[in-house]
Amino acid sequence: MKNNLLKRIITGIILIFVILGMIYLNNPILTFGILILSNIAIYELSKALKKLEYGIQEKVLYIFNSLLVSSTLLYDVKITLSLYIFINIIILSLIIFKSECRVNDILGNIFIILYITVPYILILNLRDTKWIFYAYALPSFTDTLAYAIGILFGKHKLIERLSPKKTIEGALGGILGGIIFTYIFINIFNLNQDLFLYGFAVIFSIISQIGDLFASFIKRKADIKDYGSILIGHGGIMDRFDSLLFVAPLVYIMIINLRL
Protein backbone atom coordinates (compact mmCIF):
# COMPACT_ATOMS: atom_id res chain seq x y z
CA MET A 1 0.00 0.00 0.00
CA LYS A 2 2.78 2.44 0.99
CA ASN A 3 4.62 1.56 -2.24
CA ASN A 4 1.53 2.46 -4.27
CA LEU A 5 1.17 5.70 -2.33
CA LEU A 6 4.80 6.62 -3.07
CA LYS A 7 4.39 5.84 -6.81
CA ARG A 8 1.18 7.85 -6.86
CA ILE A 9 2.82 10.87 -5.21
CA ILE A 10 5.90 10.75 -7.50
CA THR A 11 3.73 10.49 -10.63
CA GLY A 12 1.53 13.31 -9.30
CA ILE A 13 4.56 15.58 -8.74
CA ILE A 14 5.86 14.87 -12.26
CA LEU A 15 2.43 15.66 -13.69
CA ILE A 16 2.29 18.94 -11.77
CA PHE A 17 5.61 20.01 -13.32
CA VAL A 18 4.46 18.95 -16.81
CA ILE A 19 1.20 20.91 -16.42
CA LEU A 20 3.09 23.90 -14.97
CA GLY A 21 5.44 23.78 -17.96
CA MET A 22 2.53 23.80 -20.41
CA ILE A 23 0.80 26.64 -18.54
CA TYR A 24 4.02 28.68 -18.41
CA LEU A 25 4.58 28.28 -22.16
CA ASN A 26 0.89 29.16 -22.65
CA ASN A 27 -0.86 28.97 -26.03
CA PRO A 28 -0.42 27.14 -28.34
CA ILE A 29 1.65 24.66 -26.28
CA LEU A 30 -1.02 24.44 -23.56
CA THR A 31 -3.74 23.93 -26.18
CA PHE A 32 -1.69 21.19 -27.83
CA GLY A 33 -1.16 19.48 -24.46
CA ILE A 34 -4.89 19.66 -23.66
CA LEU A 35 -5.61 18.32 -27.15
CA ILE A 36 -3.50 15.23 -26.45
CA LEU A 37 -4.91 14.69 -22.95
CA SER A 38 -8.53 15.03 -24.09
CA ASN A 39 -8.11 12.67 -27.04
CA ILE A 40 -6.47 10.03 -24.82
CA ALA A 41 -9.35 10.47 -22.36
CA ILE A 42 -11.84 9.96 -25.22
CA TYR A 43 -10.00 6.77 -26.24
CA GLU A 44 -10.11 5.40 -22.68
CA LEU A 45 -13.74 6.31 -22.04
CA SER A 46 -14.79 4.97 -25.46
CA LYS A 47 -13.28 1.58 -24.60
CA ALA A 48 -15.27 1.48 -21.36
CA LEU A 49 -18.54 2.49 -23.02
CA LYS A 50 -18.03 -0.05 -25.82
CA LYS A 51 -17.93 -2.73 -23.13
CA LEU A 52 -21.40 -1.49 -22.19
CA GLU A 53 -22.41 -1.91 -25.86
CA TYR A 54 -22.65 1.76 -26.79
CA GLY A 55 -22.00 2.48 -30.47
CA ILE A 56 -19.17 4.98 -30.00
CA GLN A 57 -17.85 6.75 -33.13
CA GLU A 58 -14.27 7.18 -31.93
CA LYS A 59 -12.72 8.63 -35.09
CA VAL A 60 -15.50 11.19 -35.42
CA LEU A 61 -15.10 12.15 -31.75
CA TYR A 62 -11.32 12.62 -32.14
CA ILE A 63 -11.85 14.98 -35.08
CA PHE A 64 -14.59 16.98 -33.40
CA ASN A 65 -12.78 17.16 -30.08
CA SER A 66 -9.66 18.41 -31.87
CA LEU A 67 -11.67 21.07 -33.71
CA LEU A 68 -13.35 22.29 -30.52
CA VAL A 69 -10.18 22.40 -28.43
CA SER A 70 -8.22 24.10 -31.23
CA SER A 71 -10.97 26.71 -31.64
CA THR A 72 -10.03 28.15 -28.22
CA LEU A 73 -6.89 29.58 -29.85
CA LEU A 74 -9.18 32.11 -31.55
CA TYR A 75 -10.01 33.65 -28.14
CA ASP A 76 -13.71 33.73 -28.99
CA VAL A 77 -16.09 31.67 -26.87
CA LYS A 78 -18.91 32.33 -29.36
CA ILE A 79 -16.99 30.52 -32.11
CA THR A 80 -16.38 27.55 -29.82
CA LEU A 81 -20.04 27.46 -28.79
CA SER A 82 -21.19 27.65 -32.41
CA LEU A 83 -18.83 24.83 -33.34
CA TYR A 84 -20.08 22.78 -30.40
CA ILE A 85 -23.72 23.10 -31.51
CA PHE A 86 -22.81 22.33 -35.12
CA ILE A 87 -20.76 19.30 -34.09
CA ASN A 88 -23.59 17.85 -32.00
CA ILE A 89 -25.88 18.15 -35.04
CA ILE A 90 -23.30 16.34 -37.19
CA ILE A 91 -22.89 13.57 -34.59
CA LEU A 92 -26.65 13.11 -34.43
CA SER A 93 -26.89 13.03 -38.22
CA LEU A 94 -24.09 10.49 -38.63
CA ILE A 95 -25.59 8.16 -36.04
CA ILE A 96 -29.29 8.30 -36.93
CA PHE A 97 -28.57 7.47 -40.58
CA LYS A 98 -26.96 4.20 -39.51
CA SER A 99 -29.40 1.32 -39.89
CA GLU A 100 -28.64 -0.09 -36.41
CA CYS A 101 -28.94 3.26 -34.69
CA ARG A 102 -30.11 3.21 -31.07
CA VAL A 103 -30.91 6.09 -28.74
CA ASN A 104 -28.14 4.85 -26.41
CA ASP A 105 -25.58 5.26 -29.21
CA ILE A 106 -26.60 8.89 -29.71
CA LEU A 107 -26.51 9.62 -25.98
CA GLY A 108 -23.16 7.85 -25.54
CA ASN A 109 -21.42 9.98 -28.18
CA ILE A 110 -22.89 13.26 -26.98
CA PHE A 111 -22.06 12.29 -23.40
CA ILE A 112 -18.36 11.95 -24.28
CA ILE A 113 -18.29 15.45 -25.80
CA LEU A 114 -20.09 16.88 -22.76
CA TYR A 115 -18.08 14.93 -20.19
CA ILE A 116 -14.60 15.33 -21.67
CA THR A 117 -14.39 18.02 -24.35
CA VAL A 118 -16.45 20.77 -22.68
CA PRO A 119 -14.47 20.84 -19.37
CA TYR A 120 -11.15 20.94 -21.24
CA ILE A 121 -12.43 23.80 -23.40
CA LEU A 122 -13.49 25.71 -20.29
CA ILE A 123 -10.01 25.24 -18.79
CA LEU A 124 -8.47 26.88 -21.86
CA ASN A 125 -11.07 29.66 -21.78
CA LEU A 126 -10.01 30.60 -18.26
CA ARG A 127 -7.11 32.41 -20.00
CA ASP A 128 -5.53 33.50 -16.70
CA THR A 129 -2.77 30.94 -16.17
CA LYS A 130 -3.01 30.97 -12.37
CA TRP A 131 -6.65 29.83 -12.49
CA ILE A 132 -5.84 27.15 -15.06
CA PHE A 133 -3.27 25.87 -12.57
CA TYR A 134 -5.82 26.10 -9.75
CA ALA A 135 -8.42 24.10 -11.71
CA TYR A 136 -5.85 21.33 -12.27
CA ALA A 137 -4.01 21.34 -8.96
CA LEU A 138 -6.90 21.53 -6.47
CA PRO A 139 -8.39 18.16 -7.58
CA SER A 140 -4.86 16.69 -7.51
CA PHE A 141 -4.27 17.85 -3.92
CA THR A 142 -7.74 16.65 -2.95
CA ASP A 143 -7.16 13.25 -4.51
CA THR A 144 -3.65 12.79 -3.09
CA LEU A 145 -4.54 13.75 0.48
CA ALA A 146 -7.78 11.73 0.33
CA TYR A 147 -5.77 8.70 -0.78
CA ALA A 148 -3.05 9.22 1.87
CA ILE A 149 -5.46 9.83 4.77
CA GLY A 150 -7.63 6.94 3.62
CA ILE A 151 -4.65 4.57 3.56
CA LEU A 152 -3.33 5.71 6.94
CA PHE A 153 -6.51 6.30 8.93
CA GLY A 154 -9.48 5.10 6.87
CA LYS A 155 -11.91 2.81 8.70
CA HIS A 156 -15.42 3.76 7.58
CA LYS A 157 -16.37 3.03 3.98
CA LEU A 158 -17.70 5.93 1.91
CA ILE A 159 -19.67 4.25 -0.92
CA GLU A 160 -18.40 0.69 -1.04
CA ARG A 161 -20.42 -0.41 -4.08
CA LEU A 162 -18.67 2.25 -6.21
CA SER A 163 -15.19 2.31 -4.71
CA PRO A 164 -14.40 -0.22 -1.96
CA LYS A 165 -11.17 1.53 -0.90
CA LYS A 166 -12.62 5.01 -0.39
CA THR A 167 -13.40 5.98 3.19
CA ILE A 168 -15.14 8.82 5.02
CA GLU A 169 -11.82 9.70 6.67
CA GLY A 170 -10.20 9.89 3.24
CA ALA A 171 -13.00 12.12 1.92
CA LEU A 172 -12.53 14.52 4.83
CA GLY A 173 -8.77 14.43 4.20
CA GLY A 174 -9.48 15.37 0.58
CA ILE A 175 -11.44 18.44 1.68
CA LEU A 176 -8.55 19.38 3.97
CA GLY A 177 -6.23 18.99 0.98
CA GLY A 178 -8.34 21.43 -1.03
CA ILE A 179 -8.25 23.99 1.80
CA ILE A 180 -4.48 23.61 2.28
CA PHE A 181 -3.84 24.00 -1.42
CA THR A 182 -6.08 27.09 -1.60
CA TYR A 183 -4.11 28.66 1.28
CA ILE A 184 -0.83 27.96 -0.56
CA PHE A 185 -2.32 29.24 -3.84
CA ILE A 186 -3.57 32.50 -2.27
CA ASN A 187 -0.13 33.19 -0.76
CA ILE A 188 1.83 32.33 -3.90
CA PHE A 189 -0.25 34.70 -6.04
CA ASN A 190 -0.71 37.36 -3.34
CA LEU A 191 -4.50 37.21 -3.40
CA ASN A 192 -6.74 38.56 -0.66
CA GLN A 193 -7.41 36.10 2.14
CA ASP A 194 -11.14 36.07 1.38
CA LEU A 195 -13.20 33.47 3.19
CA PHE A 196 -15.32 32.85 0.11
CA LEU A 197 -12.28 31.33 -1.66
CA TYR A 198 -11.97 28.79 1.15
CA GLY A 199 -15.71 28.17 0.90
CA PHE A 200 -15.30 27.47 -2.81
CA ALA A 201 -12.32 25.23 -2.00
CA VAL A 202 -14.55 23.04 0.19
CA ILE A 203 -17.21 22.88 -2.55
CA PHE A 204 -14.63 22.13 -5.26
CA SER A 205 -13.03 19.39 -3.13
CA ILE A 206 -16.42 17.73 -2.55
CA ILE A 207 -17.32 18.00 -6.26
CA SER A 208 -13.86 16.69 -7.13
CA GLN A 209 -14.52 13.54 -5.12
CA ILE A 210 -17.99 13.18 -6.65
CA GLY A 211 -16.32 13.35 -10.07
CA ASP A 212 -13.98 10.56 -9.00
CA LEU A 213 -16.92 8.46 -7.79
CA PHE A 214 -18.79 9.06 -11.05
CA ALA A 215 -15.81 7.79 -13.04
CA SER A 216 -15.67 4.78 -10.69
CA PHE A 217 -19.36 4.16 -11.36
CA ILE A 218 -18.65 3.84 -15.10
CA LYS A 219 -15.69 1.54 -14.40
CA ARG A 220 -17.87 -0.68 -12.22
CA LYS A 221 -20.52 -0.90 -14.91
CA ALA A 222 -17.90 -1.69 -17.56
CA ASP A 223 -16.18 -4.17 -15.20
CA ILE A 224 -12.70 -2.64 -15.53
CA LYS A 225 -10.18 -1.75 -12.83
CA ASP A 226 -8.62 1.26 -14.55
CA TYR A 227 -9.33 3.23 -17.71
CA GLY A 228 -5.72 2.78 -18.83
CA SER A 229 -2.16 2.19 -17.66
CA ILE A 230 -0.27 5.17 -19.07
CA LEU A 231 0.41 6.72 -15.62
CA ILE A 232 2.25 4.70 -12.98
CA GLY A 233 0.29 4.51 -9.74
CA HIS A 234 -2.78 6.18 -11.24
CA GLY A 235 -3.92 4.17 -14.26
CA GLY A 236 -5.00 6.14 -17.31
CA ILE A 237 -5.61 9.80 -18.10
CA MET A 238 -9.26 9.34 -17.14
CA ASP A 239 -8.22 7.85 -13.79
CA ARG A 240 -5.98 10.83 -13.07
CA PHE A 241 -8.14 13.68 -14.43
CA ASP A 242 -11.67 12.39 -13.72
CA SER A 243 -12.09 14.91 -10.88
CA LEU A 244 -10.87 17.77 -13.08
CA LEU A 245 -13.78 17.16 -15.46
CA PHE A 246 -16.24 18.08 -12.71
CA VAL A 247 -14.21 20.90 -11.11
CA ALA A 248 -13.12 22.84 -14.22
CA PRO A 249 -16.63 24.05 -15.17
CA LEU A 250 -17.22 25.26 -11.59
CA VAL A 251 -13.91 27.16 -11.50
CA TYR A 252 -14.85 28.74 -14.84
CA ILE A 253 -18.27 29.78 -13.48
CA MET A 254 -16.62 31.22 -10.35
CA ILE A 255 -14.09 33.25 -12.37
CA ILE A 256 -16.50 34.74 -14.91
CA ASN A 257 -19.08 35.65 -12.26
CA LEU A 258 -16.71 37.02 -9.63
CA ARG A 259 -14.29 38.46 -12.20
CA LEU A 260 -11.25 37.32 -10.25
Side-chain angles (χ1 to χ4, degrees):
M1 284 290 190
K2 288 183 179 178
N3 253 359
N4 285 337
L5 176 59
L6 184 61
K7 287 179 183 176
R8 193 180 181 93
I9 291 171
I10 291 171
T11 303
I13 291 170
I14 293 170
L15 279 172
I16 284 176
F17 279 106
V18 170
I19 297 292
L20 276 173
M22 290 195 302
I23 291 171
Y24 176 76
L25 292 169
N26 214 335
N27 288 320
I29 299 298
L30 178 61
T31 303
F32 181 69
I34 293 294
L35 187 63
I36 292 172
L37 287 177
S38 56
N39 276 324
I40 294 174
I42 286 172
Y43 168 74
E44 292 175 348
L45 184 58
S46 295
K47 279 199 310 179
L49 292 182
K50 281 179 179 178
K51 281 181 170 284
L52 296 171
E53 300 183 353
Y54 285 87
I56 303 300
Q57 305 294 313
E58 271 181 86
K59 291 178 183 177
V60 174
L61 290 174
Y62 294 146
I63 293 169
F64 289 163
N65 177 71
S66 300
L67 283 172
L68 283 167
V69 171
S70 300
S71 73
T72 60
L73 287 169
L74 301 172
Y75 289 90
D76 193 332
V77 178
K78 290 178 183 176
I79 292 174
T80 302
L81 179 60
S82 301
L83 260 177
Y84 172 72
I85 293 168
F86 176 70
I87 281 168
N88 273 331
I89 291 170
I90 296 295
I91 290 174
L92 285 169
S93 302
L94 286 171
I95 295 172
I96 62 174
F97 284 114
K98 289 183 68 178
S99 57
E100 312 88 12
C101 172
R102 300 173 305 160
V103 173
N104 279 357
D105 297 334
I106 297 171
L107 295 176
N109 284 274
I110 292 177
F111 166 70
I112 288 177
I113 293 289
L114 278 171
Y115 183 39
I116 294 176
T117 304
V118 170
Y120 279 116
I121 287 172
L122 292 178
I123 288 172
L124 290 170
N125 274 299
L126 284 171
R127 305 302 180 198
D128 190 328
T129 53
K130 69 174 177 287
W131 291 112
I132 294 174
F133 173 63
Y134 184 80
Y136 163 75
L138 184 135
S140 295
F141 266 74
T142 295
D143 178 66
T144 301
L145 208 58
Y147 186 84
I149 297 295
I151 290 294
L152 297 171
F153 306 107
K155 291 181 180 178
H156 304 90
K157 299 296 181 184
L158 185 62
I159 304 178
E160 193 167 5
R161 64 185 175 82
L162 291 182
S163 190
K165 293 180 181 178
K166 286 184 171 55
T167 62
I168 293 172
E169 291 83 0
L172 293 173
I175 294 171
L176 178 63
I179 293 170
I180 291 171
F181 171 72
T182 299
Y183 175 78
I184 295 169
F185 177 82
I186 286 171
N187 282 281
I188 288 174
F189 292 100
N190 294 316
L191 302 176
N192 293 328
Q193 290 281 349
D194 290 321
L195 282 177
F196 77 86
L197 280 176
Y198 291 102
F200 277 118
V202 172
I203 293 169
F204 294 156
S205 293
I206 292 170
I207 296 299
S208 171
Q209 295 182 68
I210 291 173
D212 190 37
L213 287 168
F214 180 73
S216 295
F217 168 75
I218 296 173
K219 286 193 287 188
R220 283 276 166 187
K221 290 292 183 182
D223 194 26
I224 56 175
K225 183 180 182 293
D226 293 314
Y227 283 102
S229 56
I230 194 170
L231 300 173
I232 298 169
H234 291 273
I237 295 298
M238 275 295 298
D239 297 289
R240 172 64 272 180
F241 297 106
D242 50 9
S243 300
L244 173 69
L245 300 176
F246 271 47
V247 172
L250 295 180
V251 174
Y252 180 80
I253 291 168
M254 179 183 76
I255 298 307
I256 63 169
N257 281 285
L258 298 179
R259 303 186 184 280
L260 295 172

